[in-house]
Structure formats: C-alpha cells, structure tokens
Amino acid sequence: MPHNIDSIMPDADELASLARRRRFKDKLANITVAFGGMFVIVAIAVIFFYLMFEVWPLFKQPDFEKSHTYAGVQQQVSFVDMDEYNSTGMRLLPTGEMQFFRVGDGSSLGASQLPVPAGVTIASVQRGAVLGGLVGVGLSNGQIIVFSPNYGVEYGEHHARTVIPGLRFPYGNAPLTLDESGQAIRDFAIRGSDDALDVLGINKGRLVWSEFAEKKSSDAEAGGLSLGGLSSGGDEEAAPKVYARSSEVVIAFPATQIHGLVIGQDARWAYVLSGAGNLAVVKLKGEEGPTIYQQLSVTRGNTEVTTLAALQGNISLLVGDSTGQIAQWFLVRDKNSETDKFSLEKIRSFSLGDAAVTAITPEVKRKGFVAGDAKGRIGYFFTTSERTLGIHQAADAPIRALAISPRSEGVFVQTDKSASFWSLHAEHPDISMQSTWGKVWYESYPEPTYTWQSTSGSSDFEGKLSLMPLAFGTIKASFYAMALAAPLAICAAMYTAIFMAPGLRRKVKPVIELMQALPTVILGFLAGLWLAPTIEANLPGIFSLLIITPLIILACGFAWSQLSLEKRSLVPEGWVPLLLIVPILLGGWLSFEMSRPVEVAFFGGDIRIWLEHSTGLKFDQRNALIIGLTMGFAVIAPIFSIAEDALFAVPRHLTNGSLALGATQWQTLTRVVLPTASPGIFSAVMIGFGRAVGETMIVLMATGNTAVMEWNIFEGMRTLSANVAVEMGEAEIGSTHFRVLFLSALALFVLTFVVNTAAEIVRSRLRKKYGSL
C-alpha cells in the first residue's frame, strides 16, 4: 500500500526542534571560528609584545645621577679609584698619602704612604692600560713608583661582605729611576708584564723606551709583592725582588716639547703629543727599533689638546681639547696598499661642553668613557654606538680626577673643592639605531662596515652587533630559493591543472604535496653533507645541466611535433610528459659525466680557482646555490599546491566559453585562467616566500653561517632565524647579546608581518579586479 505522505513529513514540533538544533550548531560554529580567529590574533599580539618587552631595555636611556656629595673635601687629589662593588675607594694626595674611604658616606678607612723619598713630591700620575690596572706615579726627583689598587674581599657572619683596600707593588716598592738627570717626571707611559715593566718617558732630555727587569740580588731591600694599606693581597715571597733598568732605546724626537705619552696595544705603537696639538705615531717594534711612523695635527686653529687617554684595549686614542670636544682616533690599515701600511685617523667625536676637557677615564670592560671639564661638567659616552648617555653639572670647579668602577655602576668625581659619587646604570650603551642598522667604523677596520661578530676570546673585544648582514642573508636566501621554486611550482601547477590528464593529476598532485612532510632538518643534513660536496666536485656539470635540460625538452617537443597523428595518438592525451623522464635523466647523467673533462679543457682543471682569478667570485662549499636548490625544493610543494588549487578552481564555464569562441588552450590559460586565479597564485608565492624567510634548519646546516653581505651565489650567508638558533643557547640572559637576538627575532616578525600585509592588500585588489569574470 502506498504510504501516506503526511505520515512521513515531520510535524511542526519536529521542524521547530530541527530549526533550533540548526541554529545552535550555526552559533556554535560561529563562536568556534570567531574564538579561533581571536585566539590567533591574541597569540600574535602576545608574541609581539613579549619580543618588545625583551628588546625595549636596549634603547632605554641610562640612569646617571648624583648619589652622594662629600662635605669637607677641599684638597688636591692626583688619583682616585673604586672597587667593583662601589663600596670602597682610595684617593692619592700630592704628599704621597693614599687615603682609603667608604664610598657610601665618605668616612675614612685608613691611609697608607707611598714610598716617596723625603723631600720629594708627586709631579704626575699616569694610568697604564685599563685592563692591567697599573698606576704610575712620577716624582720630582726623576723616579717613578708603580702600583696597582688591591681590594681584598672577606665574608663574615651571614655572608656579609667586607672590602679591604690596599696597594700592590708588582715591581718592588722602591722607586725606579727613569730620568737620571733628576728632572721631575711629568709625562710618561707604562706597560707591565709578568716579568718586566716597559716605560716610555724622558731621560736626560731624550725620549727613551726603557725596560725594567728583575735584578737578582741576595741583599735586595724590596719584595715584588710588598703591600701597603689595609689588605695583604697575598703571601710574602721568600726572595725579595728588585727591579732596575735592563735596556734603553732612544727615540729621535725633541723631548722638550712633549706633554703627553700613550702606549698602544701590545706595545706595538706609541703616541707622543707635543705642542698645541701635534701627535706623532711611534712604531715601537720593528727591525730598526722604535721609529717615528707618522706625524699629524689633531686640532685646528687655536685649539689645544688638554688631555690624552687610551680607550679600553689601547687601540683607540681619546683626545680632549680646549673647546670641550673629545675625539676618537685609531690606526687604520690602508686597504689599497699591498703592505701593512697604517695611518692614524679621526673616527668620531663627542661634545662635553664649551670648556676645556680636564679628565678622561675609560671603562674597564666596555668601550665607553667618562670625561670632565674645567666648568665642573661630567659626561658619559660610548664610542661604538656614538651615544652621549648623559651630561651633568657635577661641581662648580674643574674636574681633577675621575674613577669609574670596574662594573660601570658608579663614577667618583673629584675636584679641588669637593667630591661626589654618581650612580650609573647603563646596561646596553653599545646599542643604538646606528650600531644595529647602520655602518659602524670598528677599531682596526679600514672603513665603516656592516658586521656581526658577537663574541671573541679577547677581553678588549669590541662587540659588533649589526643586524644588516643577517637581514641581507635572510633576503638573499629567500631570493635564490624563490628564483628556483616559484617558476617551477607555478608552471607545474599550470600544466597539472589545465593540460594534464585527470588520472595522472590524481597521482602527481599527492606526491608533490607529500614533499611538505619531509623534515627540513633532513633536507639540511643532506644538503650540507651530500649535496654541497657533490656540487663542488661537479660544478661544470651543474651549469651544463641548466643548459642541456631546456635543449633536451625543446628537442623532444620538436621531435614529437614531427610525428604523425597516428603515432602521437598512441600516447593518451595528458600523459605525454612521462616521455620526457628518460631523456632528462640521460641529459643529467651526461652533464655529470662530462663535468671533469669540461673543467680540465676550459677552466684549467679547477673551476673554483678560475672563478676567483677571472671573475673575482670566491667559492665556498656551502653557499647560496646550495640554499637555492635545497630550500627551493622545500618551498616548491606549498606554492604548487595552493597555485594548482587556484587554477583548478576557475569555473569551467569560463574555460569552455573561451574554447567555444575559438581560443586555443594556451590562449585560454593566459587570458582567462591566469587572471582569474591570480589572487590564489599570488597568495601561493607569498606563502612560499614566508616559508623561505622563516626557514631555520636548512640555512643553519647548509650555508656556512658566514655573516657577509655579498650577492655572490657561490658565497654563504647567515639569516636572522639561523642566527637566533645558533647563538641563543650561548647568550647570557639579560645581556646585550641576548636582547639583540630578540631584536633580530622582532625584526623577522615585523618583516613577515609587513610582507604578508602587503600581500593581502595586493591579493584583495586582484580579487576585486578579476572577481567579476
């Protein structure tokens, strides 16, 4: 019997229940999608703000402010110093008395007398290399005393720390005779080693380079570790040490005009200031002995040099003048000269004010310095970043002496009328927009450069944290990868979507998409250990392959067109590309087999040497070509998949209409399908570019990680992502290096965000333009 149609139709209550369930599911789906979208936006925002939180301290203005002022300090002071904890200090009076005091309130901790002979006064005090910690005291009788501040640390109950100041005399506590004529020692420079003391000074009216070595004597009166002050600094040695002049070399320079001497790095160079601003560079080490290497004027007009100091490492020279300017000079190698020819050049300058600079003290562990002038101003400057980090009025009298603690957390200021302590908190003074994104002239470099070199084994290392080489390497790697991947992927997508047989398409497309599942670490491993050596050994074959493969395809196409229709019909339509597999493989085999004979016949047996000599291109085994091949292979799959879907999704009525009007398949593809699918193709390219920009493991293992800025396809690079992966594990948390790595991650984040935003704008316009087709 036929069913009653009313019996199978839902009643009104069932329809209402179905409608309620449908509305509930729709709302749930909308809420889920909206929540997912909002979660993605919030996650991106959280990542951005976290990166900003880690990066912001890099550009924060340092705290440099007065902490204490000491009353009743009205006396001339020749030298001041502090310990690394800013708890204990010392000051040297012209009488030779070294006063020890507590930095917090200025209270006295005792005193010690330098071994100054009776009736002799202090004529000058000169610091040695800041890393060595030596201090030389020139006396009015032609002698010098060399000591180093010593701060002993003791821990008492509840781990309370007590710093006990004292003096250490590494070359004996007896004065050393420098000028045998008895003239006051006002200008000299010292450099110490474990077994000798080098002194550049004046003896009998001549500029001399002297060495003081240990003198073996059973009746010596002074010990090499004799100490003064409150701390012992070490155990007394059984055999006392006496130091005396062991050698002396006269330097041909008019000593009567000298009023400033500095010894350069490793005692290879020395700088002699004479007159108002004439500076002579002395080459201390050479076959002919110390000689005048260069002479120049470091001031202009009536300006006079008022103070001279060496920056940490003794590579750079800081020159303060009577106009309040402080200039940084260092020796620059002539890059156009075949020999090691140097010249002293002014690199950068800083302005303290309009009064004469009276004191300059460099930092112990960084390339910064503190300076004071005749009007009582002090300033804190950093050379690498060219930053002026604070200028303050510290007193109403000329600054006579300055001390900056080894940890750069405090500055002690001394005038003839007062003394004060300034707290300093500058965690990252070496970072600025100029030092991270602009060219910087680093010490000993022939010109300003973009350089990334975050660490070194040397204690006087100047950090080079330019992000430009890393950003350049990121763009370079992405460019070569996209140059390979984009044309291949888009052309493959065009053929697969339009010309290929449906049965073959169903097999090819999943295989290519499966390439995305390959771990990039495996690709990087293969690229670094197999592909790079293979290409290096068969470089002519690679270039032959680039020429032979297109020729083989054209030849096969021409031969196919010459066949009769009956023979061509033997191969089903859309399956013809399979016939190219064997010829292409044979062409590749032939290219590699002919690689060595071609290299011997045309490139002298080694194409790498030929490239460098003939074209100037250097060849590294792990280079941009390896990255282009490997990362291009990894990027092909996502570009192909998205582009093919976009092309295949073009409505059939558009292609059928075009073909019905007489257009060929190629005309239909270029004039109908491609414009309609252009938003999707553009999205595919940008997604592939984003994948290439953010790739880490392939570039980490196959580029050599050299931070160079060269478009040369045979040289490597270092990318932002790979740099973070390599160095983040070694960076000290909170350090400048650590935060700059976060800055590079932020730069990569912003780069991808800007590129994706621009891509979305372009895609929207393309969709709007061609959406009406």
Side-chain angles (χ1 to χ4, degrees), residues 288-309:
E288 300 177 357
T291 56
I292 304 300
Y293 188 82
Q294 180 188 4
Q295 297 189 62
L296 71 161
S297 177
V298 294
T299 59
R300 294 181 179 180
N302 297 324
T303 304
E304 297 182 2
V305 175
T306 55
T307 185
L308 204 64

Side-chain angles (χ1 to χ4, degrees), residues 15-320:
L15 289 174
S17 177
L18 289 173
R20 286 194 298 271
R21 287 198 296 269
R22 187 180 301 112
R23 287 194 297 271
F24 174 77
K25 292 178 181 178
D26 289 342
K27 289 182 179 180
L28 182 62
N30 290 336
I31 292 173
T32 303
V33 172
F35 176 78
M38 290 299 297
F39 180 79
V40 171
I41 295 175
V42 170
I44 293 175
V46 169
I47 293 173
F48 175 78
F49 285 111
Y50 174 71
L51 293 176
M52 283 295 298
F53 173 78
E54 293 290 351
V55 169
W56 181 251
L58 288 175
F59 303 98
K60 184 181 178 181
Q61 189 68 16
D63 297 326
F64 186 29
E65 56 187 12
K66 183 182 291 187
S67 180
H68 307 296
T69 299
Y70 309 105
V73 181
Q74 295 184 358
Q75 51 190 346
Q76 292 184 354
V77 173
S78 305
F79 165 82
V80 292
D81 192 68
M82 286 189 303
D83 73 309
E84 60 179 330
Y85 305 108
N86 295 333
S87 62
T88 306
M90 61 179 69
R91 63 168 67 93
L92 178 62
L93 304 184
T95 60
E97 179 185 1
M98 184 69 76
Q99 296 179 344
F100 307 107
F101 60 93
R102 185 175 288 108
V103 173
D105 54 12
S107 59
S108 176
L109 293 176
S112 177
Q113 182 67 36
L114 290 182
V116 178
V120 176
T121 59
I122 293 177
S124 64
V125 176
Q126 304 291 340
R127 290 179 180 265
V130 64
L131 292 173
L134 292 180
V135 180
V137 179
L139 304 179
S140 60
N141 66 346
Q143 294 181 318
I144 62 171
I145 298 173
V146 180
F147 71 91
S148 62
N150 183 69
Y151 298 97
V153 180
E154 295 183 355
Y155 292 91
E157 189 177 358
H158 305 297
H159 302 286
R161 181 178 58 227
T162 303
V163 178
I164 305 175
L167 302 177
R168 181 174 180 269
F169 297 87
Y171 306 102
N173 57 4
L176 306 175
T177 301
L178 179 61
D179 192 341
E180 297 173 353
S181 64
Q183 298 295 319
I185 304 298
R186 301 190 182 278
D187 297 295
F188 67 101
I190 59 174
R191 175 185 180 270
S193 61
D194 293 337
D195 55 357
L197 174 70
D198 296 321
V199 182
L200 181 64
I202 299 173
N203 181 20
K204 297 180 180 179
R206 305 166 303 168
L207 179 62
V208 296
W209 174 242
S210 303
E211 180 182 86
F212 291 84
E214 182 182 357
K215 181 180 179 182
K216 300 298 182 180
S217 176
S218 59
D219 56 349
E221 298 177 0
L225 288 176
S226 297
L227 306 173
L230 306 180
S231 68
S232 61
D235 296 329
E236 294 290 339
E237 294 187 359
K241 294 181 180 180
V242 173
Y243 280 76
R245 194 195 309 265
S246 60
S247 64
E248 179 181 275
V249 179
V250 178
I251 302 173
F253 193 88
T256 55
Q257 303 177 5
I258 294 175
H259 56 87
L261 295 169
V262 173
I263 299 175
Q265 185 188 34
D266 297 330
R268 291 180 294 176
W269 306 93
Y271 307 97
V272 182
L273 179 66
S274 62
N278 297 320
L279 193 66
V281 181
V282 179
K283 188 175 183 180
L284 295 175
K285 295 182 178 180
E287 296 180 357
E288 300 177 357
T291 56
I292 304 300
Y293 188 82
Q294 180 188 4
Q295 297 189 62
L296 71 161
S297 177
V298 294
T299 59
R300 294 181 179 180
N302 297 324
T303 304
E304 297 182 2
V305 175
T306 55
T307 185
L308 204 64
L311 197 64
Q312 183 252 35
N314 285 46
I315 299 175
S316 294
L317 195 65
L318 300 175
V319 180

